[in-house]
Structures are given as C-alpha cells and as structure tokens.
Amino acid sequence: MAEIPESILRRSAAARAKAEGRPLDEILAEMGLAPEGGSAPAAAPAGEPAAAPVAEAVAPEPAAAAPAAADPGGAALEGFAAMADVGVPESLIERSTRARAKADGIALPGAAPAAPVAAGGGGGAAAAPAAAPVAAIPAGVRTQRLLTVVKANAIQQVKKEPHDKVNTWPHLVAAEFVALMVMTAFLLVFSVFVDAPLLELANFNEQPNPSKAPWYFLGLQELLSYFDPQVAGVIIPGFGIAAIAFIPYIDKNPSVRPNDRKLAIMIFTFFVMASAILTIFGSFFRGPGFNFTYPWADGIFFDF
Amino acid sequence: MANRNGDDQRVALKERIAGAADALRQSQVWTSIFRPGSPFRHGYSDSPRNRSYVIMNNVLYHLHPVKVKRHGVRLSYTLCLGGLSFFLFILLTITGIFLMFYYRPTSPAAYNDIAALATDVAFGQIVRNMHRWGAHAMVLTVFLHMARVFYHGAYKPPREFNWVIGVVLLLLTLLLSFTGYLLPWDQLALWAVTVGSNMAAYTPVFGAQVSFGLVGGVQITGDTLLRWYVLHVLFLPFIIVVFMAVHFWRVRKDGGISGPL
C-alpha cells in the first residue's frame, strides 16, 4: 500500500470521529497513530466536542471571548476557524468571522483585531504559513485592477454558443473563389459579345425622343407620369429610402422564421414587385413622348 | 546504355531542382513572406491547426473568422451576393483605373477618348464593356443582397445598424453608377443624366440649389463633366470604401453571418 501522509490520516480520523460520535483519540489509536498534541488528552475529557482537530486548537478564542459557550453562533465561528486548515488566508477568515458575528448579534473581542484566530494555540499549524502572503503585500498596494466592464448587451457577442462550424479555409474561401471566377468569366464572355452603347456626341440642341434616365431610375420616371414631380421625384423616393433604412427599428418581431413574419415579407415583397414592375414598364413599354407602347409592336426604346 | 545514362542524369537534375526549391522555401526571405499555416511554406500539412493559421496569419483575417457556421457556407443561403458586390467593386476599380489612362473629362475630348478605346487602345473596348456591364451587375447584386438579407431577417438585433449602413451603401452604389453614366458624353449619357438630375430639382424648398450644386450650373455643361468625373473616380469611391469597412467590421462584431431560418 502506498504511503499515506499522516496529516491526511489524521483528517480522516477526525471526520470519522465526527460522523460516529466517538472520541478522536480512540479512532487515532485504532489507526495506529499517536493521539493529538500534548494538550489534547486533557481537552477531550473536559467535554470538548472533539470534532475538528484544528477547531479544537483555535477554540480558546471564541470560548474566551464569549463565556456563554452554549450560544448558537459559537459553532459557526468555529467553522470559520476550521477554514484556516484548508489554507484560507487569515485576514479573510477574520473578516467573515466578524461579519457572521455581527449578523448573529454576538459580541467579539473588538479590541484585538489583529490575528485573533491564530492566537489560539500551537496546534494551528496551517494558519501560520497562510499569514505570510498577506504580510508580503504592502499597505495601499492594489493587487488587481479593472480591465473592462462587459455589458449584457454589448456590441460584441460575448456569449459563446455551440455551433456547427467549419473551417473558413478551405470551405468558405473555395466557394468564394468559385463565385468570383464564375462572375469574372461571365462578365468577360458577355463583354466579348455585347458592346457598351455609344451614341453620337452629346448635343444640347437635339433631345432624343424619348429621353430616359438610367434603368434603375426608370421606375421613378414611370411614377412621374402618374404624379406631380414633387411627389414622384422627391417625396416617394425620399420616404421610400427612409422607410427601408428604418425597417429594423419598425419590425420588432424577433423571429427570423418565415412563418412568423408573413406580414413583413408580404409588405416588402409588395414594394419590391411594385418597383420591379414600374422599372420594367418604364424601360420597355414607354416609347416616344414617354407614351405607352408595346415593345413587340413598335420596338424597344431602351439603352443600358 | 546511353539511354539509361540519360535517365540517371535526368534524375540527378530533378533532385538538384528539388533541393534548390527546398532551400528557397526554407530561406529567410520566403518564410518572412509566407507566414505559418501558408500552404506555400516548407513542410506544410493539411491539419486543423494549419487550416486555422491560413486565415489567422493572413490579411483575410480582416474579413473572415477562422471558422464559420456550416450553413453559412451553403451557396443557397447567401448566394454569395454580398461577396460578389464587393468583388465587382474591386473589378470596377481595376477596369476603371485602366480607363482613366485614356480619358480626359473635357467637353468634346471625353467622347473621342471613349470612341478611341474601340480602335486605338489594346483591349480598350473589352475593358470598357466589362466596366459598364460590371457596374450594372453591381447595382443588381447590391439590390439582391438587400432582398436576401431582408428575407432571412438578418437585419434583426444586433444587426440593425449594419442594415442602415447597407442602405447607405446601396445609395452610394446608385450614385457611383449615375455619375459614371455621364462620362461617355454621348447623347445617351447627356439626356439620361438630364432627366435624372431634373428630378433632383423638384426637392422641396431648396431644389434649385441642389440642382445647381449637382450640375455645377443651371444646365449640364463641360463643367458638369469634370465635377461628376471627380465624384466618380475619387470622392464616391473613397466614401464607399469607408462605409464598406464599417459594414464588414460590423458583420464580424455582430456575430458573423446570421443564423439559419
């Protein structure tokens, strides 16, 4: 069997003693260990709970402070003292002891704020090294600083959710490269066969009939033949653009599922189709004088 | 025998070339150019670690994260419309710079320069064609990108403001196309722009001023040509690049590509 450090054996003996309600020394004897420190045999018959060996060592502190040993807070204070065994810094134990005492309404010896816990007895071996790091930091020196405050709804998505992810290289980059090559090839081939239009030199004295705007404004030009110029040329496009820009602030529906957004999709589709129809109408169904024509009857009056 | 000897020599030469290539790829110059993870580096292997490094140690890291959601890679989700808009912008910049070498924005010269592209300049006509069709395609892809984003609900929080930037980018794209429309200085350009800028004159209250500022006078002249040329090749590209930078940055900061439907 591997060598088990004595301190651990002692700790398990203490736990067993507490669980079975037997004296600690009896269990220590069973395990073949020497009884607790010199004062322990004397303390045990004196009616000590014999629960935690360290608590026992530091017990004189609360006992001396509060002669009414039966008070309920006493046990709690002993619990804090036991933390010194685990390596909790002494200053923290002292602070929580005070806080608990204050909350429970127990009077502590306020006159002695410095090291009241470790002052107990020689048995508090763990408390002594724990005090060292506390003393190493000079007063007034802060050992931590605030790097940033992350708000719940910050601009950056802090919360990491598990996602089905793939490497950008090669998966996304390859797809993009293909798209880019296809677009280039299409433009190149199209440009070989279809020349950009170039009519005669600009002439201020000869207005062609019909005069048409670039294709993406032909929907607006089409509107001009129905409404007053101020309505068709300024108010409708102005409000249209503003409405598009404000979509995210108007549409408060958080869902992105098409089934939940029927109204939004319907309205958007209506306006997209309306502008597409107006643009096609203005492009192909308007002839000389911007009058209605059929493109198959009178030809197309449209240039890209 | 002679044949066998020749084979040996060839093998030796091959080894020497391979050795030289290896030495080159291990040189300081080479390793300083191709950062860890680059497939061009010596001893590259296709490992998950190197796949991450390719993006992380690359200028592409400004555009793409190391990993993306699987559904975002599907062509049917984005149709690559935003990427194609950006690519078309780059293509238009390249072809546009080519065209600038042969173009003077003055009244009769502009038309003659454009006409000369077809006859005097090597590849002049095809580059002009690509510039024009690419511009129309970009208007289309930007618009379709907007529609795609709408139908996916990708403008919802936290992406609201990126949608607004996208609308600004759409307007800038239209303005870039419109200012370029005048530059050939033919009948089509002159009268299309006349019709278009007449609409601006209907702006309430200060319509006359808007029209005057846009055209650079009471009617379109050679001065308008210079004004729109500068807007087209310098001012608007500068503005659109700034907005594009913010747009791409916000895509990353708002959590990458939007979720599936």
Side-chain angles (χ1 to χ4, degrees), chain B residues 217-252:
Chain B
V218 284
Q219 67 158 21
I220 293 176
T221 61
D223 294 343
T224 317
L225 195 54
L226 177 62
R227 179 167 297 223
W228 285 39
Y229 175 74
V230 173
L231 286 176
H232 184 74
V233 304
L234 215 63
F235 181 75
L236 291 171
F238 174 70
I239 300 290
I240 204 172
V241 163
V242 171
F243 275 90
M244 279 196 298
V246 179
H247 196 63
F248 300 156
W249 179 76
R250 280 300 295 253
V251 170
R252 294 282 302 275

Side-chain angles (χ1 to χ4, degrees), chain A residues 168 199 216 244 251 253 269, chain B residues 64-65 111 151 155-156 163 177:
Chain A
T168 301
L199 312 183
Y216 35 83
I244 291 173
D251 177 15
N253 176 7
T269 308
Chain B
H64 287 315
Y111 178 81
Y151 285 118
Y155 56 83
K156 306 210 165 188
W163 167 272
S177 177

Side-chain angles (χ1 to χ4, degrees), chain B residues 8-31:
Chain B
D8 282 354
Q9 272 180 0
R10 218 171 297 149
V11 167
L13 189 64
K14 227 187 208 170
E15 275 169 3
R16 242 187 288 166
I17 290 174
D22 254 15
L24 175 67
R25 295 209 294 167
Q26 289 179 59
S27 70
Q28 190 186 355
V29 173
W30 189 276
T31 51

Side-chain angles (χ1 to χ4, degrees), chain A residues 24 26 71 89 93 101 109 114 120 151 178 197 257-258 263 299:
Chain A
L24 176 61
E26 191 184 314
D71 71 345
I93 296 172
K151 285 187 197 153
V178 169
R257 294 180 54 242
L263 181 68

